[in-house]
Amino acid sequence: MIRKAKKEDLSRIAEIFVFNNRINYFPIFQDAGYSFGELQVVSVIDRYFSRDEVLRDIYVYDDGLVKGFLLLEGTEIGECNGAVVVDEQGTEIGKLYVEPCFQSQHIGQALIRFAIDRGADLVWALEKNTRAIAFYARHGFRPTGEKKFEEGTTEYLVELRR
């Protein structure tokens, strides 16, 4: 059910990303111009998801329909003498989103277990996104006390480690 993403999945991945952003972040940022103007499926694909370095790290939950996706960063950094070299800093969950219509069906749980099984031990979450922080906490991720600004905003991201 979880597999590497393909180019054909990009519109579905971007759609899931856009709708989750509107639902979860518009109430926090209150930026209608961004959420309903700039944030469009085609532009998200073009500006971000279609880049080879991003697409190669995306996995989708697919049971006949792509219902969620996961972006793992730092899973592998190369090969040496036939062995895969893994990032010593660990693996970061860059994004984990489930289609809002299919949430509460254990899809997020399957995606995070997949990530953990591949060494994921770090995620940054928007401090005001208490639902996401609670989700990660249920899977062993704890706040470290580290914070940073979400780029271009006055909102904080908090670091969670497993």
Side-chain angles (χ1 to χ4, degrees):
M1 287 215 195
I2 298 176
R3 62 169 173 78
K4 279 279 226 187
K6 302 179 267 190
K7 283 212 181 267
E8 308 83 85
D9 300 319
L10 287 176
S11 64
R12 186 74 185 112
I13 290 166
E15 184 178 52
I16 292 167
F17 177 78
V18 166
F19 288 115
N20 270 283
N21 271 266
R22 288 177 180 162
I23 290 167
N24 295 308
Y25 302 133
F26 177 70
I28 295 169
F29 294 108
Q30 295 291 308
D31 186 348
Y34 174 77
S35 293
F36 300 99
E38 189 177 329
L39 190 63
Q40 299 290 326
V41 170
V42 173
S43 62
V44 168
I45 292 169
D46 291 344
R47 281 184 292 144
Y48 185 67
F49 288 117
S50 65
R51 295 189 343 233
D52 288 339
E53 67 273 15
V54 174
L55 183 59
R56 74 163 187 252
D57 294 334
I58 298 176
Y59 297 85
V60 295
Y61 181 99
D62 180 359
D63 64 358
L65 177 66
V66 173
K67 294 181 177 176
F69 75 92
L70 166 71
L71 172 66
L72 282 179
E73 299 172 343
T75 47
E76 58 183 65
I77 55 175
E79 194 174 310
C80 180
N81 296 325
V84 173
V85 179
V86 177
D87 185 349
E88 292 295 321
Q89 300 299 319
T91 298
E92 180 177 344
I93 297 172
K95 299 190 182 331
L96 191 160
Y97 290 99
V98 175
E99 164 65 47
C101 295
F102 298 114
Q103 290 180 358
S104 300
Q105 295 181 13
H106 305 289
I107 295 166
Q109 180 177 335
L111 287 166
I112 199 165
R113 290 287 350 141
F114 181 87
I116 291 167
D117 289 348
R118 277 146 191 78
D121 59 357
L122 168 66
V123 65
W124 289 89
L126 194 63
E127 185 175 41
K128 290 182 180 175
N129 191 350
T130 56
R131 188 171 174 221
I133 292 170
F135 170 79
Y136 290 116
R138 285 192 302 275
H139 296 282
F141 289 81
R142 301 286 179 252
T144 64
E146 292 293 317
K147 290 183 180 184
K148 65 182 180 182
F149 281 110
E150 170 69 285
E151 188 176 327
T153 76
T154 58
E155 298 295 334
Y156 281 106
L157 293 169
V158 294
E159 182 183 58
L160 305 165
R161 283 206 176 260
R162 189 167 196 289

